[in-house]
Amino acid sequence: MLDLSLLPFVSERATLRRMSSADAPLYTAGTADPELRSWPPLPVSEHHSAPPALSNAETDEQRMGREDLTVLTIAHPQTDEFIGSLMLFNVTHDSAEICWWLVSRYRGSGRAEAALALASELARRGGFVALRAQASAANVVAHRVLEKAGYLDQGWKPGRTGAREQVELRRYELAVPADLTPTLRTERLRLRGYERRDRDALQRMYGDPESAKYLLDEPWSDSFAELQINQRLPRTSLTRAPHSLGWVVEHEGAVVGEVLLWLTDVAGKVAEIGWVLDPSASGKGFATEAVTAVLRLAFEDYELHRVVAQLDPRNEASARLAQRVGLRQEAHLRQNWWSKGEWTDTLIFAALHSDPGFMPEQR
């Protein structure tokens, strides 16, 4: 079943969250768009009005008077403004049909693909094995979005638009990936995927001025920590959007840091890595142990070509760590980044799959 308590999910281009009462007028106006009504398949005729559940902003479900349909908001990730809606309908215990729409000024911006990726993560966490979608021949944008999101063409069948016009619909299906962030174990540490309960530990770690000193963000506030955990929860796969993995690092059950790995060139298999360690756990080799485990996974399991780390040269501890784990310094960029009111330098470290020590046969 869909677990809406997991929401919101946030990526760089979209937020997927529960629909609020404030969204209702925008939802109603959007679904009255004649262009939108010419595109199938908004579910049956009741799509033109706001879901009855919106009369209670505290409800855990967004329904349109149907038990097998859930209506969610696609919001702007920076402003949280309503920019569209995503619907999951014909919901069974392990599958659902999906459709979406965006307000006109956000169409073609990549936000639909981002919302579909977040919906896939919601479905995966709910134990679904498949998501289905349909699009008419005229709706070429929907075909492109679905293909980019990994949906496979299942052929044509008759259907109707929201305006009740008979059309041929191309069917699509996505096999919902079952992959989770792989749990890594070292001699002393456990690296696991994010859970919502990690918010407080991350806020404590990033809220420390010493931790944030050479990072791009100021020390985290409570509200910023909430945003950050929402962005981290979908980071469960390198092989599908958002092509990103993240781990909290645990020592004896306590969170002592985190490591992030994300693709910057999907086709070229190039990734960037980043890490932060709780200052209270420094000097014990935990960061070296954790980053080494992630690099081994990157090169051996995912067969990445190149992994890059970028850091502020004043962060001497991280520079030493990069060298200890086998990354080579390739560049020192002078005053290339405006951060916290000043121009700052950047050190670039990197490793290749073919570098000595990273090829699996050399281990």
Side-chain angles (χ1 to χ4, degrees):
M1 293 293 293
L2 291 170
D3 183 0
L4 300 187
S5 69
L6 294 169
L7 297 175
F9 286 158
V10 184
S11 68
E12 290 184 357
R13 290 187 175 273
T15 292
L16 188 66
R17 61 168 172 79
R18 303 180 190 185
M19 189 172 281
S20 70
S21 295
D23 297 331
L26 298 170
Y27 174 89
T28 300
T31 53
D33 182 345
E35 182 180 12
L36 180 64
R37 290 174 65 84
S38 71
W39 293 345
L42 293 183
V44 299
S45 60
E46 63 265 56
H47 72 270
H48 65 279
S49 60
L54 293 184
S55 62
N56 178 4
E58 302 302 318
T59 185
D60 286 337
E61 299 178 344
Q62 276 78 48
R63 306 291 184 188
M64 277 185 169
R66 290 169 44 172
E67 288 301 315
D68 65 343
L69 186 149
T70 296
V71 184
L72 301 173
T73 286
I74 304 171
H76 193 289
Q78 280 75 53
T79 65
D80 199 45
E81 67 173 303
F82 178 96
I83 63 173
S85 181
L86 183 143
M87 285 154 274
L88 293 157
F89 58 106
N90 293 333
V91 178
T92 69
H93 69 285
D94 65 356
S95 68
E97 190 163 345
I98 191 169
C99 66
W100 74 94
W101 59 270
L102 295 175
V103 298
S104 58
R105 69 179 180 277
Y106 287 107
R107 294 171 191 164
S109 62
R111 299 184 192 276
E113 295 97 314
L116 288 182
L118 297 176
S120 174
E121 178 62 16
L122 178 64
R124 185 191 66 76
R125 289 175 181 249
F128 285 21
V129 299
L131 288 175
R132 299 177 302 278
Q134 302 178 74
S136 64
N139 193 355
V140 294
V141 173
H143 294 284
R144 187 162 59 245
V145 168
L146 289 165
E147 289 165 1
K148 285 184 178 180
Y151 283 71
L152 299 180
D153 186 349
Q154 302 294 307
W156 293 91
K157 75 169 189 178
R160 293 181 183 274
T161 69
R164 296 293 190 175
E165 297 173 346
Q166 186 76 26
V167 294
E168 286 291 304
L169 300 177
R170 186 176 289 279
R171 298 172 296 161
Y172 289 87
E173 185 167 308
L174 174 74
V176 176
D179 55 324
L180 295 166
T181 300
T183 298
L184 306 178
R185 297 182 184 275
T186 68
E187 183 179 352
R188 300 178 296 169
L189 305 174
R190 175 176 178 247
L191 283 70
R192 60 163 176 80
Y194 297 103
E195 299 175 7
R196 189 164 292 282
R197 64 185 173 90
D198 296 324
R199 173 197 173 282
D200 291 343
L202 293 174
Q203 195 279 330
R204 184 180 65 252
M205 187 168 62
Y206 281 94
D208 187 307
E210 189 62 29
S211 291
K213 187 174 182 181
Y214 300 122
L215 301 179
L216 298 181
D217 297 321
E218 298 289 351
W220 287 11
S221 63
D222 287 346
S223 59
F224 193 69
E226 185 69 23
L227 172 64
Q228 290 298 314
I229 193 63
N230 292 340
Q231 291 179 337
R232 281 161 167 73
L233 284 170
R235 300 182 73 148
T236 60
S237 176
L238 282 189
T239 59
R240 58 187 174 85
H243 302 290
S244 175
L245 284 168
W247 295 265
V248 293
V249 181
E250 289 184 333
H251 174 63
E252 297 180 347
V255 175
V256 296
E258 73 167 345
V259 183
L260 305 171
L261 182 72
W262 63 98
L263 292 183
T264 55
D265 180 346
V266 175
K269 305 190 78 171
V270 177
E272 188 166 341
I273 190 170
W275 56 82
V276 170
L277 186 72
D278 192 319
S280 66
S282 64
K284 301 177 182 179
F286 291 156
T288 300
E289 204 169 310
V291 174
T292 297
V294 172
L295 286 172
R296 184 177 296 119
L297 179 83
F299 287 119
E300 295 186 3
D301 290 56
Y302 291 101
E303 298 182 335
L304 298 187
H305 168 64
R306 173 178 167 87
V307 177
V308 178
Q310 301 190 60
L311 54 96
D312 190 314
R314 296 171 296 177
N315 192 346
E316 296 177 357
S318 273
R320 291 193 298 269
L321 170 60
Q323 294 170 331
R324 281 198 302 274
V325 299
L327 301 174
R328 301 182 186 181
Q329 183 177 328
E330 295 184 340
H332 183 151
L333 306 180
R334 298 183 302 155
Q335 296 189 16
N336 70 307
W337 195 264
W338 181 259
S339 177
K340 299 177 180 176
E342 62 178 329
W343 285 106
T344 61
D345 292 6
T346 301
L347 289 183
I348 298 178
F349 290 85
L352 301 177
H353 183 274
S354 58
D355 282 348
F358 287 114
M359 297 179 67
E361 58 268 25
Q362 296 175 336
R363 293 192 178 276

